Amino acid sequence: MDLTDRPRRLRTDGLRPLVSETTLHETDLVAPVFVDATTDERVPIESMPGHERVPVDAAVERVSEVLETGVEAVIVFGIPESKDEQGSRAYASAGVVQEAVRRITAETDAYVITDVCLCEYTDHGHCGVLEPHAEDDPTLTVENEPTLDLLAKTAVSHAEAGADMVAPSAAMDGMVGAIREGLDAAGYSDIPIMSYAAKYESAFYGPFRDAADGAPAFGDRRHYQMNPANAREAMREVALDVEQGADVLMVKPGLPYLDIIRDIREAYDHPVAAYNVSGEYAMLHAAAEKGWLDLDGVAHESLLSLKRAGADLIITYFAESVAKTLSAGYRA
């Protein structure tokens, strides 16, 4: 055989890293942080090994732990001390996220992103104001326009507390435009919006809903989150968010939607984010606990695939552990 083209020549130890097409860095990662106003101690999240809900008093300590790994950004989620039909603690100036953000920004150099939604704050667990009789009628869920007003109020309250970026996740039509208008009117025109632009109604969210205490009390979110079968619809959603002023475009979940990440990367010059969600994290941990997979290896490969597909930044529960392996010189 006369093989002039031998790809294996490029796979020797010295050359392999030099020709690597995709590289993962600690600064590509965003670590989720759960702050819980109902506890005065750290509470492990059983379905997400290695993660905890922390009290407001421990928020700075928790973020400092993230920064020590080389990860520079966090996204903050809150569990309020009380809930109501309107989710009023989401936009309260003394709310759990607002108080945590004030402390984190005052005492650390972390880049602080906040999730903007109402599901953790409503007593029904849906992402906005309910339509009349929604609890009894499976064809009804959330009223769009009244919810937009509350999302804008929430985003402004986060900016007032010191958030560097807001990330609306409620999957409401027009939410980016409403938030952009609200931020600009309040004097926060420099605060960027990372939109959950293509957010699917996914079975991979289960552990997060335990962590954030945000599961719906009835029904599901199929009337506002996207159908997992649809790709063209994702591009329509993204186009609308771009028109309304989104600065960063997110796909959630990540691994089951690599095609969507690639489509957005090829169509837009905006930064693209991928959310490597709780179910993706939990299933790898479960397999590793059985001895079926090497956890460090599959975690690194999972995040590398998201970046290879086109993600510029990755929100992941593996942020700290992967950052530690990267700093230790991990090689795939």
Side-chain angles (χ1 to χ4, degrees):
M1 295 179 68
D2 184 14
L3 297 179
T4 57
D5 191 355
R6 292 179 179 267
R8 288 185 60 186
R9 293 182 188 128
L10 301 179
R11 295 175 190 156
T12 59
D13 287 343
L15 185 55
R16 184 182 175 104
L18 291 175
V19 298
S20 177
E21 299 173 26
T22 307
T23 306
L24 191 65
H25 300 283
E26 298 95 320
T27 52
D28 298 329
L29 310 177
V30 179
V33 171
F34 296 96
V35 184
D36 188 346
T38 70
T39 184
D40 58 3
E41 60 184 9
R42 292 185 174 218
V43 179
I45 301 168
E46 290 187 11
S47 56
M48 295 169 60
H51 285 272
E52 303 169 315
R53 295 182 182 183
V54 302
V56 173
D57 287 344
V60 170
E61 179 183 33
R62 177 72 191 96
V63 171
S64 297
E65 292 167 358
V66 171
L67 297 179
E68 288 173 1
T69 68
V71 175
E72 297 178 353
V74 297
I75 182 166
V76 179
F77 298 90
I79 297 90
E81 65 273 26
S82 62
K83 304 187 179 195
D84 58 39
E85 189 176 17
Q86 299 284 316
S88 62
R89 298 307 297 174
Y91 43 89
S93 61
V96 58
V97 166
Q98 291 82 349
E99 183 57 35
V101 168
R102 288 188 193 97
R103 299 187 188 195
I104 294 166
T105 55
E107 299 185 44
T108 78
D109 294 326
Y111 188 85
V112 179
I113 306 165
T114 57
D115 179 76
V116 177
C117 195
L118 301 181
C119 59
E120 296 108 306
Y121 303 90
T122 55
D123 54 16
H124 47 75
H126 279 283
C127 298
V129 179
L130 291 181
E131 296 178 288
H133 312 297
E135 189 169 353
D136 303 316
D137 186 342
T139 67
L140 303 174
T141 47
V142 173
E143 286 195 282
N144 200 87
E145 270 64 15
T147 299
L148 296 183
D149 294 338
L150 301 185
L151 294 173
K153 287 178 64 176
T154 301
V156 170
S157 73
H158 291 179
E160 290 173 344
D164 296 300
M165 175 188 283
V166 295
S169 63
M172 295 294 116
D173 293 343
M175 66 180 182
V176 172
I179 288 171
R180 184 73 275 159
E181 182 178 333
L183 289 171
D184 291 353
Y188 296 104
S189 59
D190 291 336
I191 297 294
I193 297 173
M194 177 167 62
S195 173
Y196 287 65
K199 182 178 181 179
Y200 287 87
E201 193 223 352
S202 174
F204 284 93
Y205 299 152
F208 173 88
R209 291 173 180 171
D210 292 338
D213 193 21
F218 64 90
D220 53 37
R221 294 172 177 154
R222 72 186 187 280
H223 291 154
Y224 45 101
Q225 294 179 357
M226 285 181 54
N227 183 344
N230 293 356
R232 295 191 302 273
E233 183 185 7
M235 300 308 292
R236 182 184 176 198
E237 287 277 12
V238 169
L240 289 168
D241 283 1
V242 169
E243 290 174 9
Q244 294 168 33
D247 300 286
V248 180
L249 306 170
M250 188 200 299
V251 178
K252 181 183 179 183
L255 293 176
Y257 299 93
L258 295 175
D259 57 325
I260 308 301
I261 296 170
R262 170 56 62 183
D263 287 347
I264 295 171
R265 172 73 292 141
E266 291 180 348
Y268 294 93
D269 291 330
H270 289 60
V272 176
Y275 200 139
N276 180 229
V277 301
S278 59
E280 299 170 56
Y281 175 85
M283 68 182 184
L284 295 185
H285 263 275
E289 288 172 6
K290 291 282 190 181
W292 296 340
L293 293 173
D294 171 66
L295 187 59
D296 287 343
V298 292
H300 183 273
E301 187 176 340
S302 296
L303 302 191
L304 193 68
S305 73
L306 292 168
K307 193 171 181 188
R308 187 186 66 243
D312 298 292
L313 59 145
I314 303 167
I315 301 169
T316 177
Y317 302 97
F318 284 117
E320 292 165 273
S321 61
V322 167
K324 289 175 183 176
T325 62
L326 291 172
S327 64
Y330 178 86
R331 291 193 303 172

